[in-house]
C-alpha cells in the first residue's frame, strides 16, 4: 500500500488492486460515486468500478498504468461521443442519486436542472465563480462586469443535454496501454462542447485522433471551434477560484474572445 495524502493504493484480500480516496468535504464521496456509476452506465468509456463508499472514503478499481496510443485515442473519441449521446434529463441535472450540491475538484458546483442551455450556463457555470473570485479580490468590479456582459452574448443552442464527465482535463484521462479511462468526474448534464473545450485547454495525447474519431461518430455543429473559448470559461473560472491570479488572465481573455 502506498499513501499520498488523500489517495492511497491498496490490495484487497482477493488480490484486486484498488484506490482508496478520502472525501475532502461532506458529500464529496457520494457525488463522485454517483458520477462514476452514471458514466459507467453508458457503457462507452471505461471508468473504475465503485466497490464501496461512505461519508469519508471511496474505494474504486485501480487503473493499470500504460502509455497513450493513436488507436486508443480513436477508441476514446468514439466512446466519448457515445457517452455524450447517452444524454441527461436536463442541463445541470446531477447523476441519479447524486447530490445537487456537488464539486468540481475542491470547488463547489451546484447541479440545478434547467431547460435552456445558455441561461443555465451563465447562471450556474459562469457567474457563481465570477462572484467567488470577486469576493476573494482576484477580480475587480470592471472585470466582473466584463463577464456579466459576456453572459448576455452566450448564443442559444439546439444541442440536447449531454452526459458530461464535467472535469475532462488531461489528468483525468488515464491510459492503460490499450484504452483511455475516465476518473475524477464532476458529471452533470451539459453541452458536449464543454468537455471537448476542456480537452483543448489542458491538452490530451493524440488530441487530433480523439476529435477526428469523435466527429465521425457524432458530428459537431458548425462553428464549434469558434465556441471553444466560450466553453473554456467554466474550467478557467473554476481554476481561478482554486488557484488564484495565475488563471485570471486566461479567463478574462476567454470572456473577450466571444
Amino acid at each position: 500500500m502506498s499513501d499520498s495524502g488523500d489517495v492511497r493504493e491498496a490490495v484487497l484480500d482477493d488480490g484486486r488492486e484498488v484506490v482508496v480516496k478520502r472525501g475532502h468535504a461532506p458529500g464529496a464521496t457520494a457525488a463522485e460515486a454517483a458520477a462514476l456509476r452514471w458514466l459507467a452506465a453508458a457503457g462507452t468509456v471505461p471508468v473504475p468500478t465503485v466497490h464501496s463508499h461512505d461519508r469519508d472514503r471511496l474505494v474504486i478499481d485501480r487503473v493499470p498504468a500504460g502509455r497513450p496510443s493513436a488507436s486508443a485515442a480513436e477508441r476514446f473519441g468514439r466512446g466519448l461521443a457515445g457517452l455524450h449521446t447517452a444524454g441527461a434529463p436536463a442541463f445541470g441535472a446531477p447523476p441519479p442519486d447524486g447530490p445537487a450540491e456537488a464539486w468540481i475538484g475542491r470547488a463547489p458546483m451546484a447541479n440545478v436542472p434547467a431547460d435552456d442551455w445558455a441561461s443555465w450556463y451563465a447562471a450556474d457555470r459562469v457567474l457563481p465563480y465570477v462572484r467567488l473570485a470577486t469576493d476573494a479580490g482576484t477580480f475587480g468590479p470592471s472585470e466582473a462586469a466584463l463577464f456579466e456582459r459576456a453572459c448576455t452574448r452566450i448564443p442559444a443552442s439546439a444541442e440536447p443535454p449531454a452526459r458530461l464527465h464535467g472535469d475532462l482535463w488531461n489528468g483525468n484521462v488515464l491510459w492503460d496501454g490499450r484504452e483511455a479511462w475516465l476518473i475524477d468526474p464532476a458529471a452533470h448534464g451539459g453541452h458536449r462542447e464543454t468537455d471537448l473545450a476542456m480537452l483543448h485547454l489542458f491538452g490530451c495525447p493524440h488530441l487530433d485522433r480523439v476529435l477526428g474519431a469523435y466527429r465521425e461518430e457524432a458530428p459537431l455543429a458548425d462553428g464549434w471551434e469558434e465556441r471553444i473559448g466560450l466553453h473554456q470559461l467554466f474550467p478557467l473560472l473554476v481554476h481561478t477560484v482554486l488557484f488564484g491570479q495565475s488563471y485570471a488572465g486566461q479567463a478574462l481573455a476567454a470572456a473577450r474572445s466571444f
Side-chain angles (χ1 to χ4, degrees):
M1 178 184 293
S2 65
D3 191 358
S4 58
D6 291 340
V7 180
R8 296 179 297 156
E9 294 181 3
V11 179
L12 301 181
D13 291 342
D14 62 7
R16 286 178 297 172
E17 295 181 338
V18 297
V19 171
V20 182
K21 299 182 66 177
R22 183 181 294 275
H24 68 275
T29 55
E32 184 169 349
L36 286 168
R37 287 170 174 149
W38 195 40
L39 300 187
T44 61
V45 182
V47 299
T49 298
V50 176
H51 292 290
S52 66
H53 72 91
D54 57 27
R55 61 171 297 173
D56 298 317
R57 292 179 181 85
L58 172 70
V59 181
I60 60 176
D61 279 337
R62 177 183 177 274
V63 178
R67 297 178 63 85
S69 67
S71 58
E74 290 174 358
R75 284 192 292 274
F76 175 45
R78 290 190 292 270
L80 186 61
L83 175 66
H84 291 163
T85 303
F91 298 109
D97 301 322
E101 298 301 324
W103 303 87
I104 176 167
R106 291 179 179 257
M109 185 184 76
N111 286 323
V112 180
D115 295 327
D116 175 67
W117 176 76
S119 59
W120 166 79
Y121 187 69
D124 288 346
R125 291 297 181 267
V126 176
L127 294 178
Y129 302 98
V130 172
R131 287 191 288 270
L132 288 171
T134 302
D135 291 345
T138 306
F139 294 139
S142 62
E143 293 165 319
L146 170 65
F147 289 106
E148 291 168 0
R149 289 196 300 274
C151 282
T152 67
R153 300 183 180 182
I154 295 175
S157 173
E159 290 274 349
R163 188 172 307 189
L164 299 189
H165 175 279
D167 192 8
L168 197 57
W169 72 286
N170 184 42
N172 287 340
V173 182
L174 301 184
W175 307 80
D176 69 1
R178 185 178 183 280
E179 303 288 350
W181 293 63
L182 298 179
I183 64 167
D184 295 349
H188 60 277
H191 196 305
R192 61 194 180 119
E193 290 177 10
T194 304
D195 265 358
L196 301 180
M198 196 176 292
L199 282 178
H200 275 89
L201 179 61
F202 296 109
C204 176
H206 304 291
L207 182 57
D208 288 346
R209 294 289 189 101
V210 173
L211 293 174
Y214 184 103
R215 295 176 67 192
E216 287 179 5
E217 194 76 16
L220 294 165
D222 290 345
W224 68 272
E225 291 173 300
E226 286 71 37
R227 293 187 293 272
I228 288 175
L230 164 63
H231 290 278
Q232 288 178 344
L233 267 181
F234 171 43
L236 284 171
L237 285 167
V238 169
H239 277 69
T240 300
V241 168
L242 292 175
F243 305 113
Q245 194 64 44
S246 59
Y247 285 95
Q250 286 179 267
L252 286 163
R256 294 187 183 103
S257 72
F258 68 96

